[in-house]
Amino acid sequence: MDFSLTEEHLMIRDAARDFAQTELLPGVIERDDKQTFPQELVRKMGELGFMGIMVDPKYGGSGMDTISYVLIMEELSKIDASASVMVSVNNSLVCYGLEAYGTEEQKQKYLTKLATGEQIGAFCLSEPEAGSDATSQATTAIDKGDHYILNGTKNWITNGGRSDVYLVIAQTDREKGHRGINAFIVEKGMEGFDIGPKEDKLGIRGSDTHTLQFNDVKVPKENRIGEDGFGFKFAMKTLSGGRIGIAAQALGIASGAYELALKYSKERKAFGTEICNHQAIAFKLADMYTEIEAARMLVMRAAWDKDQGNNYDMSSAMAKLYASKVAMEQSVEAVQIHGGNGFVKEYHVERLMRDAKITQIYEGTSEIQKIVISRGVIKG
Ligand code: CAA
């Protein structure tokens, strides 16, 4: 067993840390406030190879491993979780989904642009009545021979307004249940595809979240991913990797909040000494650090499983369940350590606390992760 990172991993982590400090930190409060994320920063992340981290270089990707992916995700998330969710969805849901299950034509046409950040992508599974219960798809894709006709609504779609490529899950044959679901590549601008207004959110406010509407959208048959009826398994397999990305995001939010709290506790004085010298604060720091390191082990284990070719359904669910809990609890503690200053925007921890909550909800709520884990445990 070896817990150390390679020289290459350390360089990748440092590059992500530098980028987060120099490019993401300035303006992060304003972006959260105004709910914006500039295209210019997406372009820069593309140049650094952050938009196609694990994609084969022959499709324009960086060809890195999953450990590198979680290191990058952690560093970006310490500063700006709105930026990191954009990176996570593009990498582990869209690029991975296309690379693992797309045809060579689909990879050449779409993946090559998505992996460089020239274009970005969205993953469209959730619906008004199908969040956790993802097999209950109301969106339909009727087979018309050489094309499908898509109708329905998708909710809470990350990168919903600014994407060029949308992977859309829809029901083709209701009688077949989840085996009658397909996944399709839909392009922005296809006739009948409308993007609704942006959601006004509690956290990750810089990320671009929209409702999407499909009204008789004609999708060519060559845009279906995998065999007929593979769509639900496609979503499940892809989400297993996505959950590693969100677990790493949660780890970053937790460690970002912890680092700010530690620094503050060494500067702020009360009762004649720095507050870290009071056991009430020192014990909080001890608990935070321990919990965060435990979350890191689970996140790294899930990434390692994926890199080794092991099944990672359970390890990714455990990593997301635990890291998101740690992000929520420890970001609250970071606010507490900051006292009144923690409640104002310029100290950053209130934003991290708001951002933490979504990690317990998207890409499968904590309750859904417990379904996945408990089924795995019982099955053995
Ligand atoms: N890999 C491969 N196949 C899988 C699988 C996996 N990880 N998980 C399930 N399946 C297969 C099952 O084997 C089964 O197929 P067969 O009948 O052929 O064996 C089929 O899928 C149906 O599985 P279940 O019977 O387990 O289905 P279920 O209705 O009990 O639901 C669930 C399972 C795990 C609860 C699933 O519905 C789920 O994950 N729900 C949460 C959805 C979710 O994560 N949504 C996130 C939205 S995306 C997002 O948030 C992105 C963003 O923008 C940030």
Side-chain angles (χ1 to χ4, degrees):
M1 197 173 290
D2 182 357
F3 287 98
S4 56
L5 292 170
T6 64
E7 280 300 312
E8 200 186 341
H9 285 139
L10 290 170
M11 276 169 55
I12 290 162
R13 188 192 64 187
D14 290 349
R17 189 172 289 177
D18 282 354
F19 176 79
Q21 285 293 334
T22 56
E23 301 284 351
L24 293 181
L25 186 57
V28 66
I29 293 172
E30 196 188 357
R31 292 195 297 275
D32 172 71
D33 198 34
K34 298 204 168 120
Q35 302 205 79
T36 53
F37 194 80
Q39 195 61 35
E40 178 60 10
L41 285 175
V42 180
R43 191 188 58 73
K44 286 185 179 169
M45 290 196 286
E47 279 173 6
L48 284 167
F50 293 171
M51 299 306 281
I53 296 167
M54 294 165 289
V55 176
D56 191 319
K58 76 177 175 186
Y59 299 118
S62 306
M64 297 185 218
D65 59 8
T66 316
I67 298 285
S68 306
Y69 172 52
V70 300
L71 291 171
I72 294 168
M73 278 298 297
E74 181 185 352
E75 293 304 324
L76 301 182
S77 308
K78 281 181 185 175
I79 306 295
D80 189 346
S82 297
S84 72
V85 71
M86 187 180 298
V87 168
S88 183
V89 168
N90 197 70
N91 273 278
S92 47
L93 297 183
V94 182
C95 286
Y96 175 80
L98 285 171
E99 188 167 23
Y101 305 109
T103 62
E104 188 56 31
E105 290 71 29
Q106 290 168 347
K107 292 179 200 178
Q108 291 297 342
K109 188 169 176 191
Y110 299 107
L111 182 58
T112 49
K113 296 193 180 98
L114 291 161
T116 57
E118 184 187 333
Q119 294 193 340
I120 62 170
F123 185 83
C124 314
L125 174 67
S126 303
E127 298 188 350
E129 302 294 330
S132 292
D133 184 9
T135 58
S136 293
Q137 293 288 308
T139 299
T140 53
I142 304 305
D143 191 339
K144 295 285 183 186
D146 65 344
H147 66 274
Y148 288 86
I149 294 292
L150 199 59
N151 276 290
T153 303
K154 294 288 174 183
N155 273 30
W156 314 295
I157 302 303
T158 304
N159 302 339
R162 61 166 66 227
S163 284
D164 307 277
V165 177
Y166 297 77
L167 306 188
V168 182
I169 315 297
Q171 189 84 46
T172 297
D173 186 340
R174 200 158 298 282
E175 285 187 359
K176 290 187 182 161
H178 68 77
R179 295 195 185 99
I181 291 174
N182 278 307
F184 301 94
I185 304 167
V186 177
E187 294 176 26
K188 179 178 260 165
M190 280 183 167
E191 207 179 329
F193 173 23
D194 297 315
I195 296 164
K198 192 168 175 159
E199 299 288 355
D200 189 359
K201 309 190 296 289
L202 170 75
I204 56 161
R205 288 171 56 80
S207 84
D208 182 48
T209 314
H210 290 257
T211 294
L212 308 177
Q213 198 76 44
F214 303 92
N215 298 305
D216 289 334
V217 179
K218 190 174 167 182
V219 182
K221 203 153 233 178
E222 62 263 24
N223 281 26
R224 190 184 72 208
I225 302 173
E227 292 298 309
D228 186 23
F230 180 63
F232 190 70
K233 290 200 176 164
F234 168 81
M236 291 297 105
K237 283 169 180 281
T238 306
L239 274 167
S240 280
R243 288 166 185 165
I244 300 176
I246 301 304
Q249 180 187 50
L251 174 65
I253 292 171
S255 53
Y258 162 78
E259 286 172 15
L260 289 169
L262 177 64
K263 180 167 177 286
Y264 184 83
S265 74
K266 289 180 176 176
E267 291 163 1
R268 171 80 177 177
K269 287 189 176 164
F271 305 102
T273 184
E274 288 78 13
I275 59 172
C276 64
N277 296 323
H278 296 297
Q279 201 175 60
I281 302 298
F283 277 15
K284 277 190 197 302
L285 293 168
D287 283 341
M288 290 171 91
Y289 188 71
T290 306
E291 295 273 313
I292 290 166
E293 286 306 297
R296 187 184 310 287
M297 293 299 141
L298 284 173
V299 173
M300 287 298 176
R301 168 63 197 266
W304 182 83
D305 272 343
K306 184 161 178 285
D307 286 337
Q308 296 302 310
N310 301 339
N311 184 299
Y312 49 94
D313 293 341
M314 267 180 80
S315 54
S316 64
M318 289 191 291
K320 183 179 180 293
L321 174 68
Y322 192 72
S324 63
K325 176 174 169 284
V326 170
M328 195 66 250
E329 290 174 359
Q330 304 315 332
S331 59
V332 171
E333 287 294 69
V335 171
Q336 190 69 16
I337 290 172
H338 280 75
N341 284 328
F343 211 60
V344 294
K345 293 191 182 234
E346 68 177 284
Y347 284 84
H348 297 281
V349 283
E350 65 81 34
R351 185 186 69 258
L352 290 166
M353 185 185 84
R354 286 186 285 107
D355 289 348
K357 187 60 208 166
I358 192 62
T359 65
Q360 295 184 302
I361 298 173
Y362 58 21
E363 301 207 21
T365 60
S366 295
E367 292 73 17
I368 290 295
Q369 307 313 321
K370 288 182 189 179
I371 292 179
V372 173
I373 298 161
S374 60
R375 284 180 181 174
V377 166
I378 292 161
K379 202 169 132 203

